[in-house]
């Protein structure tokens, strides 16, 4: 699911550059000339020079939104923002860290990729001078902070945005099937997967078989085992229970057997067409999906969508990103000043949220009235209050460089079992064997490093 989202972004964005900031001085000072004083950066006016920031759209729009405020505090820092495809950011950053040359001063890293960078090295441990990031820890959503905390305790990134997952549903389609469409009623009606499947059958019957409850039954399995799941313990022992996994796969297979899924993958042209044709009743995704609905998936359906928790266990996160500082940076204090203003101030986070709808991991930002306003697109529902509630329930997880491999194998094997009606228990036992083979070399290296 994470990979599919990354591929979507890769298809719709292009490399771009903009430079923000102004300089009242013709000289450029590096971090080495800015004194580090017990973790405190130099006086705002003393910090100067140019920093380069890598990311992917719509981060460029977000950064433009904060530049007036940042420039007011740091008039002598120029910020050069370079946008690329999401995958290109990660590939180029990994390459430059390995080569010890060519990295930016600041870079975005996606939450599904942060484990790779924890293992690669080359990023600043933000616990030390001049950062002292641990002082900020309690201001951030716990699970997001923990994602950028390595097994040995280093803090390699600061959380930007999060993606509390929820169920987006068509109010009008529910009503057509004789069902209540207000969020409270939908929450009660869909509080188990069995009830979710039964509602899907009602909706399909009421629409003459034209409308499906969900896009792909495999999404149920992925919720449990690609979002917020600890694949390893603190000694890198694999934490996968084939019996538990099989029980969740059984739910996905039941959904398929009852004909409530369209057998369509997210982000495909067929999937997008279902929103226009009114043949998809619900979709599970991170809170960012609300912005997608409003802007390009279904902008004409204002008032016809609602948001509710995901059945049985609403505590999922889907998506998010971090800002990191490569150790190669020649202007670390300026880089840190940029990150602190963007991510650890109400002004910075909310300016970006209003510009691009990236839901802040920084909890003090939620004090703004905007998080308690009604959202007319969703029928006047206070959606952001729901996402704040979900964010507070999501458990901490450990991330490792092997996570994408584990997630990919589990997803592929689950999809195969659903499509081919394979035995769930045997499928999951086979998936674990494939995972063990795929990660054997990385696992051996990481365990050796712990000795």
């Amino acid at each position: 699911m994470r990979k599919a989202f990354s591929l979507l972004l890769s298809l719709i964005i292009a490399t771009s550059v903009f430079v923000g900031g102004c300089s009242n001085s013709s000289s450029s000072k590096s971090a080495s000339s800015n004194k580090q004083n017990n973790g405190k950066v130099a006086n705002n006016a003393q910090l100067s020079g140019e920093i380069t920031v890598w990311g992917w759209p719509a981060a460029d729009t977000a950064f433009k939104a904060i530049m007036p405020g940042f420039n007011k505090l740091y008039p002598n820092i120029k910020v050069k923002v370079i946008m690329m495809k999401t995958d290109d950011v990660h590939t180029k950053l990994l390459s430059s860290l390995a080569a010890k040359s060519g990295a930016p001063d600041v870079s975005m890293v996606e939450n599904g990729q942060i484990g790779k960078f924890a293992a690669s090295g080359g990023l600043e441990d933000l616990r030390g001078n001049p950062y002292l990031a641990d002082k900020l820890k309690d201001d951030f959503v716990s699970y997001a902070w923990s994602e950028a905390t390595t097994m040995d305790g280093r803090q390699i990134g600061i959380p930007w945005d999060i993606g509390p997952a929820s169920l987006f549903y068509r109010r009008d389609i529910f009503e057509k099937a004789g069902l209540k469409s207000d969020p409270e009623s939908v929450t009660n009606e869909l509080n188990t997967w069995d009830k979710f499947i039964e509602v899907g059958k009602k909706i399909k019957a009421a629409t003459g078989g034209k409308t499906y409850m969900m896009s792909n039954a495999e999404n149920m399995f992925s919720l449990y085992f690609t979002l917020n799941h600890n694949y390893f313990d603190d000694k890198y022992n694999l934490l996968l229970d084939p019996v538990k996994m099989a029980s969740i796969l059984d739910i996905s297979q039941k959904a398929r057997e009852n004909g409530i899924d369209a057998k369509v993958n997210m982000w495909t042209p067929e999937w997008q067409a279902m929103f226009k044709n009114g043949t998809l009743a619900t979709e599970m995704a991170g809170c960012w999906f609300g912005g997608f609905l409003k802007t390009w998936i279904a902008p004409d359906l204002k008032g016809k969508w609602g948001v509710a928790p995901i059945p049985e266990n609403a505590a999922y996160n889907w998506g998010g990103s971090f800002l990191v500082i490569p150790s190669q940076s020649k202007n670390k204090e300026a880089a840190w000043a940029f990150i602190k203003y963007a991510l650890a101030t109400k002004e910075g986070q909310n300016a970006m949220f209003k510009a691009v709808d990236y839901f802040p991991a920084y909890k003090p930002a939620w004090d703004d009235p905007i998080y308690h306003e009604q959202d007319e697109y969703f029928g006047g529902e206070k959606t952001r209050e729901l996402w704040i509630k979900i964010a507070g329930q999501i458990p901490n997880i450990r991330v490792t460089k092997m996570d994408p491999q584990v997630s990919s194998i589990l997803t592929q094997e689950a999809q195969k079992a659903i499509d081919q009606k394979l035995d769930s228990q045997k499928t999951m036992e086979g998936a674990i064997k494939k995972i063990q083979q795929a990660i054997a070399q990385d696992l051996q290296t990481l365990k050796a490093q712990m000795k």
Side-chain angles (χ1 to χ4, degrees):
M1 297 171 82
R2 293 170 181 164
K3 183 64 176 175
F5 185 41
S6 296
L7 288 174
L8 168 73
L9 292 177
S10 296
L11 288 172
I12 63 175
I13 63 179
T15 301
S16 62
V17 179
F18 83 82
V19 178
C22 56
S23 176
N24 296 328
S25 171
S26 60
S27 63
S28 176
K29 298 179 183 178
S30 70
S32 60
S33 64
N34 287 323
K35 299 205 174 185
Q36 298 179 3
N37 182 14
N38 194 27
K40 296 180 181 179
V41 297
N43 180 275
N44 294 357
Q46 292 177 332
L47 284 175
S48 64
E50 180 175 293
I51 60 171
T52 299
V53 180
W54 286 1
W56 54 86
D60 50 345
T61 301
F63 293 149
K64 284 180 181 178
I66 66 169
M67 289 316 301
F70 180 75
N71 292 156
K72 186 175 181 180
L73 285 177
Y74 301 98
N76 298 319
I77 298 176
K78 289 184 179 180
V79 182
K80 181 180 181 181
V81 175
I82 299 177
M83 294 286 105
M84 326 173 199
K85 295 177 181 179
T86 312
D87 286 346
D88 287 349
V89 172
H90 297 128
T91 300
K92 291 182 178 180
L93 184 58
L94 281 170
S95 297
S96 62
L97 295 179
K100 297 184 176 8
S101 176
D105 298 285
V106 176
S107 181
M108 289 179 71
V109 174
E110 194 177 39
N111 75 322
Q113 300 293 323
I114 194 72
K116 291 182 180 179
F117 292 91
S120 69
L123 296 179
E124 287 290 277
D125 180 357
L126 301 177
R127 296 175 303 170
N129 286 334
Y131 318 109
L132 300 184
D134 278 350
K135 292 182 177 181
L136 303 174
K137 181 178 180 179
D138 291 342
D139 285 334
F140 285 84
V141 173
S142 178
Y143 73 84
W145 189 271
S146 72
E147 285 184 310
T149 305
T150 65
M151 290 283 204
D152 59 2
R154 290 174 292 122
Q155 191 66 32
I156 61 171
I158 303 298
W160 177 350
D161 62 307
I162 54 176
S166 49
L167 181 76
F168 296 83
Y169 67 94
R170 281 284 296 269
R171 292 172 180 262
D172 55 331
I173 292 175
F174 271 61
E175 291 167 2
K176 186 175 183 179
L179 300 164
K180 292 182 179 180
S181 66
D182 63 283
E184 184 177 357
S185 296
V186 171
T187 299
N188 292 332
E189 188 70 26
L190 302 179
N191 59 10
T192 71
W193 287 118
D194 282 341
K195 291 168 73 172
F196 181 90
I197 291 171
E198 289 303 311
V199 168
K201 290 163 63 177
K202 290 180 182 179
I203 286 174
K204 192 172 182 181
T207 58
K210 296 179 180 179
T211 300
Y212 294 89
M213 187 66 168
M214 63 190 310
S215 54
N216 192 328
E218 193 280 326
N219 292 348
M220 293 172 164
F221 180 85
S222 285
L223 280 171
Y224 282 86
F225 292 106
T226 68
L227 304 179
N228 301 107
H229 189 84
N230 284 313
Y231 293 136
F232 301 91
D233 65 17
D234 57 3
K235 292 181 172 56
Y236 291 108
N237 297 308
L238 193 60
L239 298 175
L240 291 176
D241 179 355
V243 176
K244 173 66 174 176
M245 294 161 64
S247 69
I248 304 302
L249 180 53
D250 287 340
I251 296 172
S252 291
Q253 290 179 316
K254 184 178 179 180
R256 173 63 58 84
E257 290 165 3
N258 279 275
I260 70 162
D261 80 312
K263 305 178 185 178
V264 170
N265 291 327
M266 293 181 74
W267 316 121
T268 61
E270 294 83 0
W271 175 79
Q272 293 181 48
M274 294 185 75
F275 288 89
K276 295 180 181 179
N277 300 333
T279 54
L280 186 62
T282 77
E283 189 58 87
M284 294 176 286
C287 60
W288 40 263
F289 190 69
F292 287 10
L293 285 173
K294 296 174 185 178
T295 56
W296 63 275
I297 293 178
D300 298 329
L301 296 179
K302 180 179 179 181
K304 294 185 177 182
W305 282 91
V307 185
I310 290 171
E312 294 196 10
N313 182 359
Y316 297 105
N317 181 75
W318 186 348
S321 62
F322 303 85
L323 292 182
V324 302
I325 300 178
S327 296
Q328 298 171 29
S329 172
K330 298 296 190 296
N331 206 343
K332 295 183 178 68
E333 288 192 43
W336 180 237
F338 179 79
I339 289 177
K340 281 193 70 176
Y341 181 79
L343 306 187
T345 67
K346 295 180 181 181
E347 295 79 10
Q349 279 278 18
N350 285 332
M352 295 191 295
F353 177 65
K354 291 171 184 176
V356 297
D357 220 27
Y358 286 8
F359 204 85
Y362 183 65
K363 293 185 291 185
W366 303 345
D367 293 336
D368 192 287
I370 192 173
Y371 297 94
H372 307 283
E373 293 175 353
Q374 294 181 332
D375 191 326
E376 296 308 317
Y377 183 89
F378 292 107
E381 188 177 349
K382 294 183 178 181
T383 55
R384 292 159 188 162
E385 289 188 351
L386 172 64
W387 293 326
I388 289 172
K389 180 180 178 181
I390 294 171
Q393 299 170 343
I394 297 171
N396 291 357
I397 63 170
R398 304 178 194 89
V399 295
T400 76
K401 66 178 296 185
M402 292 93 71
D403 288 3
Q405 287 177 285
V406 177
S407 174
S408 177
I409 292 172
L410 288 176
T411 299
Q412 291 171 16
E413 295 303 305
Q415 187 69 68
K416 187 188 301 182
I418 295 166
D419 293 341
Q420 300 178 19
K421 301 181 180 180
L422 303 178
D423 182 84
S424 60
Q425 180 78 20
K426 291 180 179 178
T427 296
M428 292 296 97
E429 289 172 352
I432 290 174
K433 289 180 181 178
K434 289 184 178 181
I435 289 167
Q436 290 170 333
Q437 293 171 354
I439 66 173
Q441 186 172 348
D442 284 336
L443 206 55
Q444 183 178 8
T445 300
L446 289 168
K447 286 189 174 183
Q449 291 173 351
M450 294 182 69
K451 295 179 180 178

